[in-house]
Amino acid sequence: METYTQGIIIAICGNFLISISLNIQKYTHVRLSQRGSSKPYYKSVLWWLGISLMGLGELGNFAAYGFAPASLIAPLGCVSVIASAIISVVFLKETLRASDLLGGALAIAGTYLLVTFAPHFAPHVTANMVERSLMSWEFLTYISVEVIAFCILLYLYKCRKMKHIVIVMLLVALLASVTVISVKAVSGMITESVQGNHLQLTYPIFYVMFIVMVASCAFQIKFLNQAMKMFDATEVVPINYVFFTASAIVAGILFYQEFFGLSPVNICLFVLGCVISFIGVFLIARTRPKIKTDRVFISMGQIPGKRCTEKVQPETRSSSYGSLASKLICNRGTHTDDS
């Protein structure tokens, strides 16, 4: 139970650091924009502070997998969404909406159910245990279905040019499932070695899982970045949270047998907690308002008594291109002749 609690605390602290880092990076971009500076954001000390905090937070999440079940650590990612919304309202002066309050309350309630009714027992992850799980029929069936589904989705995305958000986020989720399995394996074996139970770093399976972890993370980030370019963050964030959490829970159940011996009531309440957290994250992330800036811009269409119905400068291919300059020249010539 003490190890379980340590995992929860480490995961919550890690996600809180991630939310701080995201808002620091956001503040850096806003400040450079307000100053009209051409200085690249990556040359800002503040931006690198945000990156450092994000690395520390992700390291905390990595360590948490070695202490608590993966099916619990993954849903605790909603802590980052809640904390980020609070920080953005307090420090970045974003507008607080009713949906933020309702979403935050639901996410907190869902987190409470997750922590209370999640599996409280995490098996000791050793090299022998990982090898046995890799050869189990449950995992072999699961990974076969996942590989087939991934190939079909990749074919639709790359060859058929189907750029639907669900297809991209499913690719991310399938990779995330492999990432969760490998991250928990590597983290668990490191934890066992540090605690002095048995040195796990001498087994080849440790390095195999480490390579799988790095490769799956790299491709997961690649597809996630493509999703962020094609779709709005208010769509990507909640969908990614739901898909990632679902894939992590399935991976924990099939590979690490985390729900073994858990009562049906606990399972139902755990799933209810996940659903409530999903709804809360969706309400918080949807259509977030833009940050207020100190610079005031006046549009021509907002000048009292004036109405802007045409472009100031037409397109270069238009027949009216350059007409404004021509009129000025003609008027200047007229005034010259009159004088």
Side-chain angles (χ1 to χ4, degrees):
M1 188 66 184
E2 181 181 353
T3 304
Y4 172 84
T5 306
Q6 289 175 352
I8 294 175
I9 294 174
I10 293 173
I12 291 175
C13 292
N15 284 299
F16 185 70
L17 286 176
I18 290 173
S19 65
I20 294 176
S21 73
L22 291 174
N23 281 278
I24 288 177
Q25 294 175 62
K26 186 190 297 185
Y27 174 73
T28 303
H29 291 296
V30 171
R31 190 175 67 170
L32 291 175
S33 176
Q34 289 176 346
R35 292 179 177 178
S37 175
S38 59
K39 176 183 177 182
Y41 64 88
Y42 54 81
K43 290 186 177 180
S44 171
V45 176
L46 198 60
W47 185 82
W48 280 108
L49 174 62
I51 290 295
S52 301
L53 288 176
M54 174 170 284
L56 191 60
E58 293 293 354
L59 184 62
N61 277 336
F62 173 80
Y65 279 100
F67 293 94
S71 55
L72 173 62
I73 299 301
L76 286 178
C78 66
V79 173
S80 176
V81 180
I82 300 171
S84 183
I86 296 173
I87 293 172
S88 63
V89 169
V90 175
F91 294 102
L92 298 182
K93 307 304 179 184
E94 290 190 3
T95 305
L96 180 64
R97 307 165 301 173
S99 60
D100 293 332
L101 296 175
L102 178 59
L106 289 174
I108 291 173
T111 303
Y112 172 76
L113 291 176
L114 288 172
V115 173
T116 304
F117 297 101
H120 288 194
F121 172 75
H124 291 280
V125 180
T126 62
N128 292 330
M129 180 263 188
V130 172
E131 290 174 350
R132 287 196 305 270
S133 297
L134 286 173
M135 298 306 297
S136 64
W137 69 267
E138 295 95 340
F139 174 74
L140 292 176
T141 303
Y142 170 70
I143 200 65
S144 300
V145 173
E146 183 168 296
V147 168
I148 293 172
F150 186 85
C151 292
I152 293 173
L153 291 171
L154 192 62
Y155 171 76
L156 295 175
Y157 179 64
K158 292 291 187 181
C159 299
R160 293 293 182 177
K161 305 299 181 184
M162 296 179 64
K163 306 296 183 180
H164 197 278
I165 187 171
V166 174
I167 292 178
V168 184
M169 299 315 296
L170 279 175
L171 288 170
V172 175
L174 292 175
L175 289 168
S177 177
V178 178
T179 302
V180 168
I181 291 174
S182 57
V183 164
K184 184 167 179 60
V186 173
S187 179
M189 284 188 276
I190 292 177
T191 302
E192 287 290 314
S193 301
V194 171
Q195 290 178 348
N197 295 333
H198 187 65
L199 184 62
Q200 304 293 317
L201 307 186
T202 57
Y203 291 89
I205 191 62
F206 172 82
Y207 300 97
V208 171
M209 299 304 287
F210 182 82
I211 294 172
V212 171
M213 178 185 71
V214 173
S216 61
C217 281
F219 283 103
Q220 184 183 342
I221 292 172
K222 175 185 176 181
F223 284 113
L224 191 57
N225 284 333
Q226 291 178 4
M228 293 295 287
K229 289 180 182 179
M230 292 187 293
F231 308 102
D232 194 76
T234 57
E235 297 176 296
V236 175
V237 170
I239 294 177
N240 180 58
Y241 173 72
V242 172
F243 285 5
F244 173 80
T245 302
S247 63
I249 292 173
V250 172
I253 293 174
L254 294 178
F255 194 86
Y256 294 104
Q257 305 292 320
E258 291 180 347
F259 277 27
F260 181 77
L262 201 65
S263 67
V265 175
N266 280 37
I267 294 175
C268 291
L269 290 174
F270 176 82
V271 173
L272 178 63
C274 289
V275 173
I276 294 175
S277 297
F278 294 162
I279 297 173
V281 169
F282 173 78
L283 291 175
I284 293 173
R286 71 181 186 94
T287 319
R288 290 213 53 82
K290 294 183 178 179
I291 302 170
K292 297 179 181 179
T293 61
D294 297 330
R295 304 176 72 183
V296 179
F297 299 90
I298 301 178
S299 171
M300 291 184 64
Q302 295 176 346
I303 300 177
K306 300 292 181 181
R307 187 177 180 184
C308 180
T309 58
E310 296 181 356
K311 296 179 180 179
V312 175
Q313 178 61 55
E315 298 291 336
T316 56
R317 297 181 180 178
S318 173
S319 59
S320 59
Y321 178 77
S323 59
L324 180 60
S326 300
K327 288 180 181 179
L328 290 174
I329 294 173
C330 292
N331 290 337
R332 184 183 300 175
T334 304
H335 289 307
T336 304
D337 294 341
D338 293 341
S339 59

